[in-house]
Amino acid sequence: MLDANLKAQLQGHLQRMSAPVEISFAGAADAASGEMRALLEELAALHPGIRLRDDPDPAARRPSFGIARPGEAPRIRFAAVPLGHEFTSLVLALLQVGGVAPKVESMLLERARALEGEWLFETYVSLSCQVCPEVVQALNVLAVTHPGVRHTMIDGALFEPEVQARDVLAVPSVWLNGAPFVQGRVDLRDILARLDAGAGARAATELGQRAPYDLLVVGGGPAGAAAAIYAARKGIRTGLVAERLGGQVRDTLGIENFISVPSTEGPRLAAGLEEHVRAYGVELIEGQRAQALRPGEIASVELASGATLRARSVVVASGARWRELGVPGEREYRGRGVAYCPHCDGPLFRGKRVAVVGGGNSGEEAAIDLAGIAAEVTLIEFDGRLRADAVLQQRLASLANVRVIVGAATTAVRGDGRRVTGLAWRERGSGAEHALELEGIFVQIGLVPNTDWLRGALALNARGEIEVDASGRTSVAGVFAAGDATTVPYKQIIIAMGEGAKAALGAFDHLIRTPLPGAAPRASIAA
């Protein structure tokens, strides 16, 4: 299953293990069990410290396998054949159980060890989901660190009856002690905050006591990362606050137009951005959402946690989010049939009827992907024609299980209280009303800038984008902006990076020309 090059790389990584590891396999008489055992046998053959044995536990999911030190009960389990995006999760679990320290902030590990109690986490994933490995790896780190934590990753496509019984319609979906815990992207910091109710207040107090930064970057995507790097290289005290490092890039599957890199994936690029930012000593403040900007000689950025950060200059790089339909039922059924990531949630709709709303490139790419999974795909476009590239339209037209409706306005999402059951739409020309019976709706109608928190503080255009000049200056002195949240056209990763660098240079130029707050004016020499 593993090619020679990958095996050679794995052997090199596994040499870092300082303790033996036991893999306990619980199989059945099915193809998935055979595939799983073959993978585990190949892994065990790569290092003498890895032992494979059969798991006698009758309660274990089958197929699945646990990873533990010999003589210990597994605290990490995979109910999946973890290839694709989840292969890294498997390798990291082997290394960490084998004694390799997780690459996690020591403060977070200390918080994890200090938790009191026992927790059983179960994470439902799809192997095509790019977000899922982050959640799986965070919970695996928690399980390695705390003896009272157990975590099982479950491939929803492999355990469909279980997924249906629990109404899991979006991934990643995390359950704790048999009840829903959280859905969507979370990291170790988020998980600890949910388990430790007082953590948020303590963090807010600590942040509020920090001295003002020379430059504070708001946003952790390509623009924010570039701004932080360029600022830190100038030797000024730089902070970066973001809900998550990487931004929308983490949700991007393939990237093939990043100059000098023929092909990469969003999570890989996001990891590179984080590594580069950390290398320059930027003070990273993760898991925090900006709520308000108060301009001034020392600007204040108020966070949703209650903390306030201060800085002599600010670069806003808050990016954009998926645009919503804004129709009745959409928010009510989000995660229960309404989805925004076909790569993540598509496998949960195997053999079902789905709709894709949006006829641009992202919408048609989603419809093409889903056509290989779903029984029927209906693409609904508001305009009177499709707007995607010609090559995508040709591919879409060749698919027998896809139909296209143009000139259609989606008017409502319908459901039975638990999950989506249909979609209502209206012909824009005649006004005739129609309904579709289906199980899933994928919304692909573009992005909207994350600038609601800036209204009244900065000049925004009619679309909510921050108005900037050629140097990234906003309407407020000392405040700069870059990336998808601004009026700069062509929302591309490479453009966002350049704009972030430019905004940081503009901010630095502003700082060296602005007296320090409270500094006495320099005395002049009389003639």
Side-chain angles (χ1 to χ4, degrees), residues 35 46 49 66 69 112 140 151 192 214 217 234 243 257 327 340 344 347 357 361 375 377 420 442 465 471 519 523:
E35 186 180 6
L46 294 176
R69 298 277 180 91
N140 283 349
H151 175 230
L192 291 172
D214 293 316
V217 179
K234 292 293 186 181
E243 287 190 78
N257 57 351
V327 300
Y340 299 84
C344 300
V357 182
N361 282 350
V377 180
V420 165
F442 291 83
E465 298 168 326
S471 297

Side-chain angles (χ1 to χ4, degrees), residues 44-317:
L46 294 176
H47 193 281
I50 300 177
R51 177 194 169 208
L52 176 62
R53 70 175 182 90
D54 289 326
D55 191 337
D57 184 0
R61 287 182 178 83
R62 295 177 184 269
S64 70
F65 62 93
I67 301 176
R69 298 277 180 91
E72 296 181 359
R75 301 206 298 266
I76 294 176
R77 181 170 288 275
F78 290 85
V81 182
L83 297 173
H85 297 304
E86 290 292 356
F87 188 67
T88 300
S89 301
L90 169 57
V91 175
L92 289 174
L94 286 170
L95 292 173
Q96 290 162 6
V97 173
V100 178
K103 290 186 177 180
V104 176
E105 293 178 55
S106 58
M107 177 191 69
L108 292 179
L109 295 178
E110 291 170 7
R111 286 175 54 190
R113 295 188 188 100
L115 292 173
E116 296 182 0
E118 294 189 357
W119 298 273
L120 169 61
F121 289 96
E122 299 164 297
T123 304
Y124 293 90
V125 309
S126 66
L127 297 183
S128 60
C129 170
Q130 295 186 95
V131 174
C132 296
E134 296 180 46
V135 180
V136 170
Q137 291 163 25
L139 286 166
N140 283 349
V141 167
L142 187 58
V144 168
T145 305
H146 194 291
V149 175
R150 290 177 292 154
H151 175 230
T152 300
M153 181 269 268
I154 306 161
D155 177 7
L158 198 57
F159 292 87
E160 287 190 13
E162 186 175 331
V163 164
Q164 293 173 5
R166 286 186 163 182
D167 282 336
V168 176
L169 293 173
V171 293
S173 181
V174 182
W175 287 56
L176 173 58
N177 297 335
F181 176 65
V182 68
Q183 185 174 284
R185 184 192 300 273
V186 290
D187 58 17
L188 183 57
R189 188 184 305 273
D190 298 324
I191 295 163
L192 291 172
R194 290 170 182 269
L195 297 178
D196 180 3
R202 293 194 299 272
T205 299
E206 187 275 327
L207 290 174
Q209 294 173 347
R210 295 191 180 186
Y213 293 96
D214 293 316
L215 174 65
L216 178 65
V217 179
V218 181
I229 290 167
Y230 265 71
R233 282 175 58 88
K234 292 293 186 181
I236 61 177
R237 182 166 175 258
T238 304
L240 186 153
V241 59
E243 287 190 78
R244 57 170 180 160
L245 290 172
Q248 284 283 347
V249 166
R250 290 192 179 275
D251 301 329
T252 304
L253 184 60
I255 300 171
E256 299 179 345
N257 57 351
F258 191 75
I259 309 306
S260 84
V261 181
S263 178
T264 187
E265 295 180 341
R268 183 181 302 173
L269 179 57
L273 291 175
E274 179 176 350
E275 183 178 359
H276 202 169
V277 170
R278 289 186 184 278
Y280 277 98
V282 175
E283 293 188 31
L284 295 178
I285 305 155
E286 301 178 66
Q288 297 284 344
R289 179 170 55 85
Q291 186 169 270
L293 171 67
R294 309 296 181 198
E297 190 175 41
I298 296 292
S300 296
V301 175
E302 298 174 3
L303 307 178
S305 64
T308 296
L309 297 171
R310 297 168 295 154
R312 294 178 58 211
S313 63
V314 175
V315 171
V316 177

Side-chain angles (χ1 to χ4, degrees), residues 195-467:
L195 297 178
D196 180 3
R202 293 194 299 272
T205 299
E206 187 275 327
L207 290 174
Q209 294 173 347
R210 295 191 180 186
Y213 293 96
D214 293 316
L215 174 65
L216 178 65
V217 179
V218 181
I229 290 167
Y230 265 71
R233 282 175 58 88
K234 292 293 186 181
I236 61 177
R237 182 166 175 258
T238 304
L240 186 153
V241 59
E243 287 190 78
R244 57 170 180 160
L245 290 172
Q248 284 283 347
V249 166
R250 290 192 179 275
D251 301 329
T252 304
L253 184 60
I255 300 171
E256 299 179 345
N257 57 351
F258 191 75
I259 309 306
S260 84
V261 181
S263 178
T264 187
E265 295 180 341
R268 183 181 302 173
L269 179 57
L273 291 175
E274 179 176 350
E275 183 178 359
H276 202 169
V277 170
R278 289 186 184 278
Y280 277 98
V282 175
E283 293 188 31
L284 295 178
I285 305 155
E286 301 178 66
Q288 297 284 344
R289 179 170 55 85
Q291 186 169 270
L293 171 67
R294 309 296 181 198
E297 190 175 41
I298 296 292
S300 296
V301 175
E302 298 174 3
L303 307 178
S305 64
T308 296
L309 297 171
R310 297 168 295 154
R312 294 178 58 211
S313 63
V314 175
V315 171
V316 177
S318 48
R321 62 187 182 275
W322 292 114
R323 186 181 298 276
E324 298 180 355
L325 291 168
V327 300
E330 179 182 17
R331 293 195 174 184
E332 179 184 354
Y333 289 101
R334 176 180 289 180
R336 295 191 289 165
V338 174
Y340 299 84
C341 179
H343 303 298
C344 300
D345 299 328
L348 298 175
F349 294 86
R350 186 174 302 278
K352 300 183 184 298
R353 299 163 298 177
V354 302
V356 175
V357 182
N361 282 350
S362 60
E364 294 203 23
E365 288 171 355
I368 292 167
D369 288 346
L370 290 166
I373 300 170
E376 300 175 7
V377 180
T378 303
L379 188 145
I380 299 175
E381 165 56 30
F382 184 81
D383 201 354
R385 61 182 181 85
L386 296 179
R387 296 169 287 108
D389 295 342
V391 65
L392 292 175
Q393 296 196 39
Q394 292 169 6
R395 173 66 178 141
L396 193 72
S398 71
L399 300 173
N401 64 335
V402 177
R403 68 163 173 157
V404 175
I405 303 173
V406 297
T410 302
T411 56
V413 171
R414 293 176 176 170
D416 60 6
R418 295 174 57 203
R419 59 177 66 189
V420 165
T421 59
L423 175 151
W425 63 278
R426 181 182 67 252
E427 292 182 25
R428 295 182 60 210
S430 68
E433 302 282 348
H434 300 272
L436 285 174
E437 292 186 1
L438 42 72
E439 290 77 36
I441 301 168
F442 291 83
V443 181
Q444 299 284 287
I445 55 174
L447 301 171
V448 59
N450 292 319
T451 57
D452 295 344
W453 62 286
L454 295 168
R455 294 191 182 279
L458 299 177
L460 308 177
N461 69 7
R463 292 186 293 275
E465 298 168 326
I466 305 167
E467 295 182 352

